[in-house]
DNA sequence: TTGTAAGCGTTATCAC
DNA sequence: GTGATAACGCTTACAA
C-alpha cells in the first residue's frame, strides 16, 4: 500500500491533475490527501453511523465531491463479503409472457438497496452455466424462477448462498419459496365452472416440464375427477398464442365435439383459443363455449378479450420475495426454509359463463 | 497475505475440514495447498491461454474440483479493472410494453460473456441515483434506454465508462446510439396512408418528454404538413391501452368528426384505439377509419387485432448494441461515437386501408 | 475521534 | 514453466 504520509493537504486541482496524468481512478486515498486526513477517516465518512467529527466529515465530503469520488464496490465487497447484488434467474419465456414479475422484483430489490443481476435462459438446461457465473460474482442471494434439481439446491446450501424460488413448485424440497397456489386455484376454478353447469372440460396446458403449468393441470384434473365429470383431454402447448389456436382445434378433434369449457395454462394461449373459436370455428364465446386463462396479463383485460382468468398477486409476491431474501441475507446462516403461498384472485371477465343457464340442456 | 510455504501437498479432505471449521470461502490458496503448487500457478490455470504445464494444470484442476473452487470475481476485477458486468438502465414502462428488447439485450450480452445488471426506474428522474450506483459497481459499460442530459453524457466520458444509448434520440449529443429511425418511418407511413386517400390524420403520441415518442410525432407532422394535408390534432398519452381509448374520444371531439386515420405511438395505444372505435363508437376499422400502431408487440398480430404497425428489428438492434458495447470495452479509450440506425419494417395488418378506394369521395 | 496497519482474494511482474 | 511479491481499493481492529 502507498504510505499514508500526513501532509498538510494537497490542493484539489493539483491532485486532480495527478490522477488524470496517471490515468487511474479516484480512490479514498486521493480524497484523504486533499482533505488532509487519513485514508481510514475517509472510509468512515462513507459508512453510515461511523464515528467521525463533524469537521472531519465536512472536509472529507468536500474533497470527495471535488474529486467526484465514489467508493469502489468491488474492493468493499472483498472485505465485507457482501456485494449487494442479487441474481435473478429467469427463463426467456417467463420474461416475455410475464414481464411484470421481473419488473416488480427488480424494483422491490432496488428499494431495499440491492441490485439485480439478470440471468436469462433460453432453455432450462443452461442453468449449470448460469450457476457457475453466479458463484463467481459472489452475489448475496439468488431469486430463481426456474427448475432446480435437489443437487442444485444442495449446492446453494453448501455455498451458503440464500436462495428463494419464485413461482415454481419444487416438490419435497426444503427450499424458500414464494408462489401462488396454482393447484388450489385450479380446483376452485373447476368447482365454480361445474356449478355453472359445465360438464365437458378440455385443457390446454403449458410445457410438460414446467412445474407451474403442471400444478395448474393437476389441480384441474384432480377436481374434475372428484366431481365425477367426463375425462378432460389435455393439450400441451408452450405458452404462446399459437399453442392456444392449435390446442383448440386438436381438442375438438379428440373429443369429437365442442367442449363446454377450455381451461388454459396462461392468458396468451387463452386468447389464442378465444380467437380460434370465434374467428376460425364460429363458436360463440362464452355462450357456446367458455374459455379461461391464467395470469391476467396486460392485454387480457382489453375490450376485445376481457378474459376470464386468474390474477396472481404479483406485487405482493415480489414484496414477499424481496423481504424473504433480505432476511436471509441478514440472518447470514441457518434459517428454516419458508414457503409463502398466495391465493390467486378470480377475474370474472367475459369469456366464461359463470351462472347456470335457465334450463340446462343435456346434449 | 498468508505465507505461501510450499509443503508437499495437504490432503483434500484435510483442507476441506479446515475451511469448513474456519467458516471461510475456498480460495486459490487452498487449491494451491492441496495441489502442491504455488498460488500463482493456480491463478494461471484459470486464465485462458496462460503458460502452464499439462501436469500442473491437471493437478490444480483436480484439487479445484474437489474443493469446488471458483475464482472470486470481485478480487479479480479489483486488479483487472474489468467486472464483465454491463448495466442496463430501463424504465418500468419500456419493460412492460416492450419486454422483448430487454430480453434480447440480456441474451446478447450473456453470449459475449457479459452479465446484465438491471436498473429499473419508475420515473426518468431516478437516473441520478442510478448513476451513483452504476459508478460504485464499476460496471464495464452502460446501456441506457432512458433520457440523459448532456451533463450525464459528459460524466460518462470523464469516468471513461462506455455508454450506448438504446432506442433514444439524444439530439446533438456525441454519444453511441443504436436506434430505429422513427422520424423517417413515420414520414414514410404518412406518405403511404396519404397515397391510399387518407386526408384527415389524428395522432395519439406517447408522453411529451419521451424522445422516441417525440420523433414519431415529429416525423408524422412533418410529412403531413409537407403534403399540404389538414392539420392533425395530437393527443399525448402515456403508452397504455387506456390512453388509446381516451385519445380517440378526445380527438374526435376536437375534430368534430371521425378522422380518416389515427397514428398511435405504440401498439397498446393503437389497440385501445381500435377497441374504442369498434366497441364504443361503432366505427368500422379499417373501412371507416384506419388505425396504425408501432412496435409490433406480441399481441398486436393476434387475430382480434391484426394491427397495422411498424416493427423494429429488435434482434438486430440488440446484436448491434452488444457488439458496439463490447467493442468499446475492448478499445478501452477514445473512440468516435457511432450511431447505428435501423429502418422500421412495415407490417400491413388489417387495421388500415392501404389502397385508394374505387371512388374517392370528398366529405 | 483519529491514524496505523493488517488483511480481503485475485492478477501481474519479475527473477529463477 | 514456476514461485515470490507487489499491487488493486477498501474495511476494520487496535493503538494513540
Amino acid at each position: 500500500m502507498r504510505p499514508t504520509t500526513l501532509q498538510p493537504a494537497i490542493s484539489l486541482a493539483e491532485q486532480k491533475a495527478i490522477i488524470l496524468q496517471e490515468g487511474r481512478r479516484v480512490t479514498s486515498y486521493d480524497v484523504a490527501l486533499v482533505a488532509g486526513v487519513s485514508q481510514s477517516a475517509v472510509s468512515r465518512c462513507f459508512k453510515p453511523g461511523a464515528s467521525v467529527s463533524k469537521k472531519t466529515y465536512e472536509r472529507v465530503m468536500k474533497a470527495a465531491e471535488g474529486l467526484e469520488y465514489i467508493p469502489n464496490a468491488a474492493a468493499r465487497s472483498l472485505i465485507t463479503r457482501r456485494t449487494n447484488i442479487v441474481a435473478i434467474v429467469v427463463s426467456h419465456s417467463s420474461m416475455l409472457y410475464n414481464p411484470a414479475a421481473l419488473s416488480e422484483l427488480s424494483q422491490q430489490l432496488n428499494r431495499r438497496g440491492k441490485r439485480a443481476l439478470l440471468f436469462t435462459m433460453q432453455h432450462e438446461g443452461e442453468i449449470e452455466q448460469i450457476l457457475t457465473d453466479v458463484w463467481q460474482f459472489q452475489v448475496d442471494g439468488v431469486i430463481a424462477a426456474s427448475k432446480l434439481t435437489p443437487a442444485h439446491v444442495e449446492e446453494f446450501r453448501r455455498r451458503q448462498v440464500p436462495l428463494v424460488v419464485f413461482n415454481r413448485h419444487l416438490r419435497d424440497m426444503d427450499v424458500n419459496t414464494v408462489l401462488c397456489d396454482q393447484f388450489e386455484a385450479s380446483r376452485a376454478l373447476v368447482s365454480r365452472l361445474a356449478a355453472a353447469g359445465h360438464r365437458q372440460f378440455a385443457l390446454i396446458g403449458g410445457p410438460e416440464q414446467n412445474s407451474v403449468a403442471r400444478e395448474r393441470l393437476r389441480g384441474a384434473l384432480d377436481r374434475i375427477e372428484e366431481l365425477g365429470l367426463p375425462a378432460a383431454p389435455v393439450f400441451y402447448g408452450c405458452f404462446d398464442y399459437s399453442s392456444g389456436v392449435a390446442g383448440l382445434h386438436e381438442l375438438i378433434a379428440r373429443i369429437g365435439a365442442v367442449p363446454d369449457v377450455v381451461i388454459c395454462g396462461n392468458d396468451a394461449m387463452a386468447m389464442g383459443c378465444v380467437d380460434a373459436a370465434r374467428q376460425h370455428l364460429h363458436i360463440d364465446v362464452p355462450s357456446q363455449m367458455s374459455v379461461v386463462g391464467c395470469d391476467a396479463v396486460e392485454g387480457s383485460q382489453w375490450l376485445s378479450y376481457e378474459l376470464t382468468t386468474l390474477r396472481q398477486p404479483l406485487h405482493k409476491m415480489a414484496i414477499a420475495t424481496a423481504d424473504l431474501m433480505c432476511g436471509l441475507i441478514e440472518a447470514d446462516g441457518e434459517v428454516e426454509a419458508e414457503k409463502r403461498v398466495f391465493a390467486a384472485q378470480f377475474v370474472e371477465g367475459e369469456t366464461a359463463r359463470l351462472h347456470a343457464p335457465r334450463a340446462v340442456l343435456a346434449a
Side-chain angles (χ1 to χ4, degrees), chain A:
Chain A
M1 202 71 245
R2 305 190 208 81
T4 320
T5 39
L6 255 191
Q7 281 161 6
I10 191 171
S11 92
L12 198 148
E14 245 176 299
Q15 191 63 22
K16 252 186 167 166
I18 295 174
I19 295 165
L20 197 66
Q21 194 199 327
E22 296 181 1
R24 49 185 188 75
R25 299 188 164 165
V26 181
T27 71
S28 57
Y29 177 80
D30 297 311
V31 178
L33 229 50
V34 172
V37 298
S38 76
Q39 181 272 333
S40 48
V42 176
S43 172
R44 276 193 286 264
C45 288
F46 283 88
K47 181 183 171 166
S51 90
V52 240
S53 73
K54 191 162 184 173
K55 190 179 135 198
T56 306
Y57 181 81
E58 277 162 6
R59 280 170 61 186
V60 166
M61 282 312 177
K62 196 177 154 191
E65 269 169 46
L67 291 169
E68 298 195 283
Y69 166 73
I70 289 192
N72 181 323
R76 170 182 292 161
S77 75
L78 200 51
I79 188 144
T80 60
R81 293 148 157 279
R82 286 260 132 76
T83 52
N84 288 327
I85 292 179
V86 172
I88 297 185
V89 181
V90 73
S91 72
H92 189 65
S93 69
S94 45
M95 216 160 141
L96 284 184
Y97 296 114
N98 208 346
L102 177 58
S103 180
E104 286 283 355
L105 275 177
S106 148
Q107 225 160 98
Q108 291 302 331
L109 287 175
N110 285 189
R111 194 157 301 171
R112 290 165 181 73
K114 313 282 180 216
R115 301 295 149 210
L117 194 62
L118 185 62
F119 293 87
T120 54
M121 32 183 201
Q122 291 280 59
H123 322 287
E124 305 246 337
E126 294 171 37
I127 189 78
E128 298 291 339
Q129 173 54 45
I130 286 177
L131 286 186
T132 309
D133 281 353
V134 165
W135 311 139
Q136 282 214 21
F137 283 109
Q138 311 280 122
V139 298
D140 289 347
V142 176
I143 295 173
S146 70
K147 203 166 76 174
L148 292 176
T149 66
H152 292 143
V153 174
E154 168 61 17
E155 190 168 5
F156 274 92
R157 210 194 48 69
R158 267 207 312 282
R159 294 193 184 268
Q160 307 202 42
V161 176
L163 166 67
V164 177
V165 173
F166 185 81
N167 230 351
R168 297 282 155 139
H169 207 84
L170 264 49
R171 189 160 297 290
D172 303 325
M173 279 194 231
D174 192 36
V175 57
N176 298 286
T177 308
V178 172
L179 49 61
C180 207
D181 191 343
Q182 310 288 348
F183 183 80
E184 204 35 67
S186 286
R187 281 180 52 93
L189 178 66
V190 169
S191 302
R192 178 140 184 196
L193 291 163
H198 296 91
R199 287 187 48 80
Q200 179 62 64
F201 284 69
L203 307 174
I204 298 180
E208 284 197 71
Q209 322 85 301
N210 185 295
S211 76
V212 177
R214 230 168 27 225
E215 283 299 296
R216 289 176 184 165
L217 279 182
R218 267 191 56 235
L221 291 169
D222 189 69
R223 186 68 181 141
I224 288 168
E225 194 187 340
E226 203 172 281
L227 289 171
L229 295 170
V234 178
F235 176 88
Y236 292 94
C238 51
F239 283 147
D240 65 341
Y241 178 85
S242 50
S243 295
V245 175
L248 180 62
H249 286 278
E250 161 94 19
L251 288 169
I252 288 177
R254 269 198 245 162
I255 302 176
V258 175
D260 294 327
V261 53
V262 184
I263 297 181
C264 303
N266 77 347
D267 287 343
M269 295 194 296
M271 293 190 269
C273 184
V274 168
D275 282 346
R278 290 179 177 157
Q279 319 219 10
H280 293 164
L281 303 164
H282 306 290
I283 297 171
D284 188 71
V285 176
S287 75
Q288 292 178 268
M289 180 182 89
S290 294
V291 177
V292 184
C294 192
D295 284 347
V297 297
E298 265 282 310
S300 72
Q301 296 315 302
W302 296 351
L303 289 174
S304 289
Y305 293 106
E306 299 189 281
L307 202 64
T308 300
T309 185
L310 295 167
R311 169 173 291 128
Q312 305 189 49
L314 234 43
H315 183 67
K316 283 186 194 166
M317 287 167 70
I319 290 177
T321 306
D323 281 342
L324 190 52
M325 177 52 75
C326 291
L328 290 168
I329 293 172
E330 292 310 314
D332 194 36
E334 306 305 307
V335 188
E336 284 285 299
E338 194 174 329
K339 293 197 196 278
R340 299 205 189 159
V341 180
F342 289 78
Q345 175 196 345
F346 187 68
V347 178
E348 296 207 350
E350 301 285 346
T351 59
R353 185 173 53 72
L354 298 174
H355 300 284
R358 291 289 154 100
V360 182
L361 302 169

